[in-house]
Structure formats: structure tokens, C-alpha cells
Amino acid sequence: MARPIFVHETQSFNVPAERVFDAWLNPAQAARFLFASRTGNVMHCEIDPQVGGTFTVTDRRPNPDGDESFFEAQHRGTYVEIDRPRRLVFDFAVEPFSGSTTRVTIDIVPGASGGCELMLTHDLGEAEDAVHYVERTRRGWSAMLRQLEKVVGTRLWGFLRTPGTA
């Protein structure tokens, strides 16, 4: 019997937990870090921030075969748990790479001096090929969390609304 395969990443932030949590559910902020890659461009980011709600982040990436063409990757998820500002859980799939759904859990713990620590766990499941995605998945989440640190650390001008409000 196969065992589940997990990827764990942790990142500390010098901003309040609420600010880090809200960035995951705010399309304007999420598009700046969520599935954004060095060589791709996020073309679309739609988020319905409620339990049972979904998100879609579409990015355009160069084809890995070396020619000058591009393809679009669709990152899709369904929110399973939203407990602001402590926990966010979603089922997740990436097309065209995999049709199977995995689960991502984000726990955010307030820290000393107003900062927080984010712990991300990605359950890749028990499929035989899951082991082949561990390093790629770890590198992807690590890069996204470093970019998230830049996004939430940027001074915001104007109004910042809570996700899902008018």
C-alpha cells in the first residue's frame, strides 16, 4: 500500500497574519504571487473566497521544447476551509499537467512583534507518480512564498478591502 506524499514549506513574514491571509483571497494580490513564475505571465485570476467557492489562475508559459511558442496552465482549486486569519485549505489541480486533485493546507500563526509564520502542506496523494513531483512542487511553493513576502511587504496606497466584500 502506498503512503501519502507531502511537501512542507514555511515562511516568516514581518506583517500581521491578516495581511498574509487576505493576500491569498484577493485577486489583485494573488495574481502577483500565486503560480506566477519567472518565465510566465499570469493572464487571469478569479477567486470566489468562500467555502465551496473556487479559484482559477491562468498563466502563459513558454513551451519546454525550446521553440518560441507558449501554452496556458490553469491552476484550479475549491476552498474546503477558510478560517481567517489562521487556516486556508483547498483542493487543487493543474491543467494540462495533471487531472488529479491534491490538497493544500495553509496554517498561519501570529508571531512576536506583529509578524507571523506561514506553514504550507501540500498532500500530493498516494499515486505512484506523486514522488516525481516532490522537488518541482517544493521549488514552486518556495518561490511563491518568497514572492508573497514581497507582495505583502509592499506599501499599499488607497483602500484595501477585505476579500469578498464590496
Side-chain angles (χ1 to χ4, degrees):
M1 182 179 343
R3 297 176 116 172
I5 296 174
F6 295 93
V7 170
H8 301 280
E9 284 296 314
T10 302
Q11 181 75 34
S12 294
F13 297 89
N14 290 324
V15 297
E18 292 82 4
R19 189 160 174 181
V20 173
F21 184 91
D22 290 348
W24 288 85
L25 300 178
N26 179 307
Q29 288 185 299
R32 294 176 51 205
F33 78 91
L34 200 54
F35 313 113
S37 68
R38 185 179 52 79
T39 57
N41 293 309
V42 172
M43 307 302 290
H44 173 79
C45 181
E46 184 176 321
I47 297 175
D48 179 13
Q50 61 183 325
V51 173
T54 61
F55 68 83
T56 303
V57 178
T58 305
D59 73 300
R60 182 173 290 156
R61 301 176 178 188
N63 269 320
D65 60 10
D67 67 11
E68 295 184 21
S69 63
F70 294 86
F71 73 97
E72 290 187 355
Q74 296 257 328
H75 308 269
R76 298 179 182 274
T78 302
Y79 297 107
V80 175
E81 185 178 344
I82 299 176
D83 181 14
R84 181 182 190 265
R86 293 175 209 62
R87 185 166 236 228
L88 182 65
V89 181
F90 54 88
D91 289 337
F92 176 64
V94 183
E95 300 165 12
F97 299 114
S98 175
S100 63
T101 300
T102 59
R103 179 158 289 180
V104 176
T105 301
I106 297 162
D107 289 302
I108 303 172
V109 178
S113 67
C116 64
E117 183 171 68
L118 181 149
M119 288 132 325
L120 182 144
T121 302
H122 191 160
D123 180 349
L124 296 175
E126 299 178 2
E128 288 181 32
D129 64 342
V131 71
H132 302 293
Y133 295 105
V134 170
E135 273 312 303
R136 180 181 187 176
T137 302
R138 183 181 324 291
R139 283 192 313 268
W141 285 121
S142 180
M144 281 185 265
L145 293 179
R146 285 191 310 271
Q147 184 63 27
L148 171 59
E149 184 176 24
K150 293 175 185 175
V151 169
V152 297
T154 302
R155 184 173 177 90
L156 299 175
W157 300 98
F159 295 100
L160 177 65
R161 64 182 183 89
T162 301
T165 62

